[in-house]
Amino acid sequence: MSSEPKEKSKLLRVIQSICSLSIVAVICYSIIYGVELVYSAIAVSAIAGLVLPTVISESTMGIVEILTGVLEAFVEGLVGAVTGVLEAIGSIFS
């Protein structure tokens, strides 16, 4: 069962970053201003953007592996987004 992880495509990594940032933004907005229908729809589509590729790629695994895959996609998306922003800021000053 322990196979080497596949390298994810750039498109999938970009989608994960956008979905992760969308979820964080919607949570922050909901905490400050309250829940609204538009932002709930954004949150649902962002969660679907994280869950669907994980479920499709790990369809033969159990529910625990799928949940850890979704959490991994969320964290990788956040890390990728933060890294990209920091690299962009760093390139301005170099």
Side-chain angles (χ1 to χ4, degrees), residues 23-39:
I23 291 170
V24 170
V26 166
I27 289 171
C28 292
Y29 183 87
S30 296
I31 288 172
I32 295 170
Y33 296 110
V35 178
E36 294 182 13
L37 181 63
V38 173
Y39 295 103

Side-chain angles (χ1 to χ4, degrees), residues 1-20:
M1 289 221 180
S2 63
S3 61
E4 293 188 25
K6 297 179 191 174
E7 183 66 29
K8 295 181 180 179
S9 68
K10 287 189 182 243
L11 178 63
L12 182 60
R13 291 183 5 218
V14 168
I15 290 172
Q16 287 177 346
S17 296
I18 291 171
C19 291
S20 297

Side-chain angles (χ1 to χ4, degrees), residues 1 54-55 58-69:
M1 289 221 180
T54 304
V55 170
E58 299 180 12
S59 60
T60 59
M61 302 292 182
I63 188 73
V64 174
E65 286 84 8
I66 291 174
L67 290 176
T68 56

